[in-house]
Amino acid sequence: MNAWYLCEQNNTDPSTSYAEKTEQILDFLCKRDVSEGPDEMSFSICIHALARSNQSQRAEEILRRKEEFVKKHSDVEIVSTDYNHIISSW
């Protein structure tokens, strides 16, 4: 996921969205067994990549998913940078 995020940082082609690749990986991880599911960083990388690619609404949707995930999994927490990236994107 981090590799796609780093690609998005340098992306100058609006027809290519590496951020969407991070979202696809996150979706895959969410469908897996809880012990192999996404961690805090997986959500954050996806949020940051989408926010960076000017997909504010999608980034916010991932944040809402993370908030629901946190309610069920105490080992994952929300960090302030998740909110900051979305606010900056909007």
Side-chain angles (χ1 to χ4, degrees):
M1 288 183 77
N2 197 43
W4 289 121
Y5 169 69
L6 294 174
C7 289
E8 186 63 54
Q9 285 182 316
N10 300 314
N11 187 14
T12 57
D13 181 5
S15 66
T16 304
S17 177
Y18 299 105
E20 290 176 7
K21 298 284 189 190
T22 65
E23 187 175 9
Q24 290 171 355
I25 295 169
L26 181 65
D27 289 341
F28 172 77
L29 291 173
C30 285
K31 292 176 184 172
R32 297 190 69 157
D33 187 28
V34 174
S35 63
E36 299 173 350
D39 60 5
E40 178 180 314
M41 190 56 93
S42 300
F43 280 102
S44 292
I45 287 172
C46 187
I47 290 167
H48 298 184
L50 288 167
R52 180 174 292 275
S53 68
N54 294 319
Q55 297 184 55
S56 307
Q57 186 167 347
R58 287 176 79 177
E60 190 171 338
E61 289 170 6
I62 298 299
L63 177 62
R64 301 298 170 227
R65 282 177 56 188
K66 185 176 183 180
E67 289 172 339
E68 290 302 312
F69 193 84
V70 167
K71 291 178 185 177
K72 299 174 187 169
H73 303 92
S74 60
D75 58 328
V76 177
E77 58 185 48
I78 296 176
V79 292
S80 61
T81 56
D82 293 338
Y83 292 101
N84 292 342
H85 282 280
I86 292 171
I87 291 167
S88 295
S89 179
W90 280 111

